[in-house]
């Protein structure tokens, strides 16, 4: 029994479109490959008296949350502690190149994000060829054993979809918890999917989403869908020509964003939450937090579930380094190294690199590297970088910039086993507080946006149904659909 046929694109159509010979040879039309294409302009409920909603954090989660709230006719106010918006989107111009030191790619899953980019005059360019251990990514994946890639992909997507539904519908079931707490590597091996195991090096670890022998499958299936799998294997990824930072700047122009305004206190003891920021206190109908739970619990009286989430997530570090090299790879744009991706004991090793153009002023050919860096200092990372460069046979002429990010909120195995997914669900809406951001979705911008859209719809529905203070004849709270 496969997933219900939703009439959307099948894996055959998607792979055939990209001339995948296995799709043509095996004529796979199984309905389990159907992709649920979400309605990005689905109706939302609003009231004629707008709700005033505080959004803590002006990264991709906060900005997209505010956009959905505003589109529904309400008034979002964003509080950002930093003096810039965009979160981990960090674009810098060096020489003749736009260098992305943070968020970089869009994938097939970024449908709504790419629509927003077009609306704001942002153009996209497809990434050049990617190599993994010297092979094209799709050829690297095919070196794995077992059935053809297309059949293994079908089996993975079907099993991942089933687990994702189980987590959503039965998060407190002991059997669901136990399966969700398996590592990605254990789960994939149990399904006997050696080609998917190799694909995970490119689509998970190299991208900074955890080592497969440490990250739980419950977390992985929340973001690794067919669209993303195909994007990684077929290298169907694009980058914004004007930069992610410029995109979010344009996106935010009609939003009420208060930069350099860290929230210092959130009082949820009264009928409405009160936020204190920049020495001023304001009352809101609801609060959405998009900051890490470890930050959130510092400025409010946290609930038991909020503390459980805080303690159940271990944020990782990922470091990007902009460097020049006269003799690193040419002829393709991306390179990845499986040795660094498959061994979690080699933290700090170069996961891969991306060609970033040239600058005579800066010394020649520019590259950006990625390293898992949890527990390592900047000098230690630089030392490992130089040693790894020698091991791979290239020279680092100069290190121009190094950026250490708090990146990837890794769910602890024991926390997943003890009910983390249930807690993530229960905290939504409690004490007029809702949550978005990477901890509740994933680092992928498309995952953040999708979760924010559903969360806002649920929040506005709850606010509209909740008993409201007596309204005057001038401000009725009559729900309507737009």
């Amino acid at each position: 029994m496969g997933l219900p046929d939703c009439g959307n694109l099948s894996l055959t159509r998607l792979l055939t479109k990209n001339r995948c010979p296995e799709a043509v040879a095996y004529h796979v039309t199984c309905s389990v490959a159907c992709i649920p294409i979400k309605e990005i302009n689905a109706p939302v409920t609003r009231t004629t008296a707008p709700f005033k909603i505080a959004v803590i954090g002006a990264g991709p989660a906060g900005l997209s949350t505010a956009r959905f709230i505003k589109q529904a006719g309400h008034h979002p106010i964003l509080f950002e502690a930093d003096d810039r918006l965009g979160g981990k989107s960090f674009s810098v111009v060096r020489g003749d190149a736009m260098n992305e030191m943070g968020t970089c790619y869009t994938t097939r899953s970024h449908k709504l994000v790419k629509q927003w980019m077009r609306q704001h005059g942002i153009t996209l360019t497809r990434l050049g060829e990617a190599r993994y251990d010297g092979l094209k990514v799709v050829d690297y994946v095919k070196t794995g054993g077992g059935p053809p890639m297309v059949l293994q992909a079908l089996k993975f997507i079907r099993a991942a979809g089933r687990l994702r539904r189980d987590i959503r519908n039965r998060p407190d079931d002991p059997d669901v918890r136990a399966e969700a707490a398996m590592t990605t590597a254990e789960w994939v091996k149990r399904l006997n999917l050696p080609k998917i195991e190799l694909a995970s090096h490119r689509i998970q670890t190299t991208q900074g989403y955890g080592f497969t022998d440490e990250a739980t499958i419950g977390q992985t299936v929340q973001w690794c869908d067919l669209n993303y799998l195909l994007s990684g294997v077929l290298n169907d990824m694009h980058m914004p020509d004007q930069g992610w930072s410029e995109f979010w700047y344009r996106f935010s122009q009609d939003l009420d964003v208060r930069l350099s305004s860290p929230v210092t206190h959130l009082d949820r003891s009264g009928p409405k939450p009160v936020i204190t920021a920049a020495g001023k206190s304001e009352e809101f109908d609801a609060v959405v937090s998009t900051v890490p739970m470890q930050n959130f619990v510092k400025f409010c009286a946290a609930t038991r579930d909020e503390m459980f989430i805080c303690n159940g997530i271990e944020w990782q570090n990922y470091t990007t380094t902009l460097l020049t090299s006269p003799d690193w790879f040419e002829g393709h744009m991306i390179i990845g190294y499986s040795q660094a991706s498959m061994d979690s004991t080699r933290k700090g090793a170069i996961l891969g690199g991306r060609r970033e153009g040239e600058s005579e002023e800066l010394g020649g050919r520019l590259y950006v590297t990625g390293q898992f860096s949890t527990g390592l200092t900047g000098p230690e990372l630089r030392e490992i970088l130089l040693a790894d460069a020698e091991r791979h046979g290239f020279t680092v002429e100069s290190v121009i910039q190094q950026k250490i990010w708090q990146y990837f909120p890794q769910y602890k195995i024991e926390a997943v086993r003890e009910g983390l997914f249930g807690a993530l669900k229960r905290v939504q809406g409690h004490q007029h507080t809702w949550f978005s951001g990477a901890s509740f979705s994933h680092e992928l911008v498309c995952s953040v946006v999708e979760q924010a859209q559903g969360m806002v719809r649920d929040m506005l529905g709850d606010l509209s149904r909740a008993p409201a203070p007596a309204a005057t004849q001038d401000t009725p709270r009559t729900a309507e659909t737009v």
Side-chain angles (χ1 to χ4, degrees):
M1 178 71 69
L3 296 178
D5 191 338
C6 57
N8 291 316
L9 298 177
S10 70
L11 183 61
T12 301
R13 287 179 60 196
L14 285 168
L15 291 180
T16 303
K17 182 178 179 182
N18 289 275
R19 297 179 173 84
C20 175
E22 290 178 350
V24 177
Y26 284 84
H27 304 288
V28 180
T29 57
C30 178
S31 63
V32 301
C34 289
I35 305 170
I37 299 177
K38 303 216 173 19
E39 292 292 335
I40 60 177
N41 292 314
V44 293
T45 301
R46 77 176 183 186
T47 61
T48 53
F51 294 117
K52 181 182 175 185
I53 301 172
V55 181
I56 305 174
L63 292 167
S64 56
T65 293
R67 171 65 58 211
F68 293 129
I69 293 171
K70 185 178 176 67
Q71 284 178 341
H74 303 284
H75 182 201
I77 298 175
L78 293 105
F79 296 90
E80 170 56 51
D82 207 344
D83 60 0
R84 54 175 285 273
L85 51 77
K88 300 183 187 80
S89 297
F90 190 66
S91 313
V92 291
V93 177
R94 298 282 187 179
D96 61 354
M98 171 69 70
N99 304 130
E100 297 290 359
M101 299 296 290
T103 308
C104 46
Y105 312 133
T106 65
T107 70
R108 291 176 179 227
S109 299
H110 287 71
K111 295 181 180 69
L112 181 52
V113 175
K114 288 191 280 192
Q115 177 180 308
W116 282 341
M117 285 183 169
R118 288 192 297 270
Q119 291 171 352
H120 290 87
I122 301 295
T123 56
L124 291 163
T125 297
R126 184 166 179 161
L127 284 177
E129 185 178 308
R131 295 290 182 95
Y132 214 85
D133 287 353
L135 300 173
K136 291 183 178 180
V137 176
V138 68
D139 292 331
Y140 170 76
V141 171
K142 288 179 181 178
T143 63
M149 180 181 70
V150 65
L151 300 182
Q152 293 192 35
L154 281 169
K155 188 174 181 180
F156 174 84
I157 293 302
R158 181 177 183 177
R162 187 265 310 158
L163 178 57
R164 192 161 49 244
R165 290 191 302 275
D166 287 346
I167 291 172
R168 181 176 64 247
N169 299 328
R170 298 184 289 120
D172 295 317
D173 185 309
D175 292 336
V176 174
R177 290 184 186 182
E179 182 178 4
M182 295 177 67
T183 68
T184 301
E186 289 172 332
W187 192 80
V188 170
K189 283 182 184 296
R190 188 179 73 169
L191 290 176
N192 190 26
L193 301 175
K195 287 185 172 66
I196 298 300
E197 185 177 354
L198 293 183
S200 67
H201 299 156
R202 159 67 170 160
I203 66 178
Q204 180 166 347
T205 307
T206 302
Q207 302 299 327
Y209 306 146
F211 288 98
T212 60
D213 62 350
E214 293 182 342
T216 65
I217 188 62
Q219 185 169 17
T220 299
V221 300
Q222 301 305 310
W223 57 269
C224 190
D225 60 7
L226 180 56
N227 275 325
Y228 185 76
L229 183 63
L230 289 173
S231 295
V233 172
L234 300 174
N235 200 43
D236 188 4
M237 300 182 181
H238 296 74
M239 294 179 69
D241 299 321
Q242 294 78 10
W244 278 95
S245 294
E246 176 64 19
F247 163 61
W248 289 120
Y249 170 76
R250 296 182 189 183
F251 185 84
S252 69
Q253 288 307 286
D254 64 340
L255 298 174
D256 187 350
V257 183
R258 302 180 184 180
L259 298 177
S260 302
S261 296
V263 173
T264 55
H265 186 62
L266 169 61
D267 183 356
R268 300 182 288 179
S269 62
K272 289 188 176 184
V274 177
I275 276 185
T276 301
K280 179 182 177 182
S281 296
E282 291 183 69
E283 185 180 74
F284 293 87
D285 292 298
V287 171
V288 177
S289 174
T290 69
V291 300
M293 192 64 82
Q294 289 86 338
N295 296 352
F296 177 80
V297 301
K298 292 178 181 178
F299 54 73
C300 71
T303 67
R304 183 175 180 178
D305 276 336
E306 289 164 353
M307 287 305 304
F308 178 65
I309 293 169
C310 174
N311 295 323
I313 291 176
E314 184 176 10
W315 278 88
Q316 304 298 296
N317 290 125
Y318 187 84
T319 296
T320 53
T321 302
L322 180 65
L323 57 84
T324 60
S325 172
D327 53 4
W328 205 6
F329 61 93
E330 283 191 284
H332 50 283
M333 188 174 181
I334 305 289
I335 196 168
Y337 301 118
S338 64
Q339 188 177 23
S341 299
M342 65 176 61
D343 185 358
S344 59
T345 66
R346 297 195 66 226
K347 286 187 172 66
I350 298 175
L351 294 164
R354 184 177 71 245
R355 181 73 186 272
E356 288 282 286
E358 294 194 30
S359 169
E360 291 186 11
E361 178 185 352
L362 296 175
R365 288 156 33 186
L366 300 173
Y367 299 88
V368 169
T369 65
Q371 299 166 275
F372 271 120
S373 51
T374 305
L376 297 171
T377 65
E380 288 172 334
L381 286 165
R382 183 174 297 209
E383 183 178 339
I384 295 172
L385 176 74
L386 296 175
D388 242 21
E390 184 177 353
R391 183 178 298 111
H392 290 298
F394 70 93
T395 306
V396 176
E397 192 166 78
S398 63
V399 173
I400 300 168
Q401 186 172 7
Q402 182 186 69
K403 187 75 175 176
I404 301 177
W405 297 98
Q406 177 178 277
Y407 194 80
F408 184 57
Q410 185 164 290
Y411 296 174
K412 295 180 181 178
I413 291 174
E414 58 273 23
V416 173
R417 192 177 291 119
E418 293 170 6
L420 178 61
F421 283 103
L424 291 168
K425 187 174 182 179
R426 286 192 301 273
V427 294
Q428 297 288 13
H430 188 61
Q431 292 187 337
H432 308 285
T433 309
W434 299 77
F435 296 91
S436 186
S439 296
F440 288 79
S441 52
H442 185 59
E443 289 287 4
L444 276 168
V445 173
C446 58
S447 297
V448 166
V449 169
E450 181 181 322
Q451 187 272 342
Q453 185 178 36
M455 179 273 298
V456 169
R457 185 173 292 117
D458 291 343
M459 175 181 65
L460 296 181
D462 281 3
L463 290 174
S464 297
R465 288 188 296 268
T472 67
Q473 290 183 341
D474 296 326
T475 58
R477 287 194 181 274
T478 304
E480 60 182 16
T481 299
V482 294

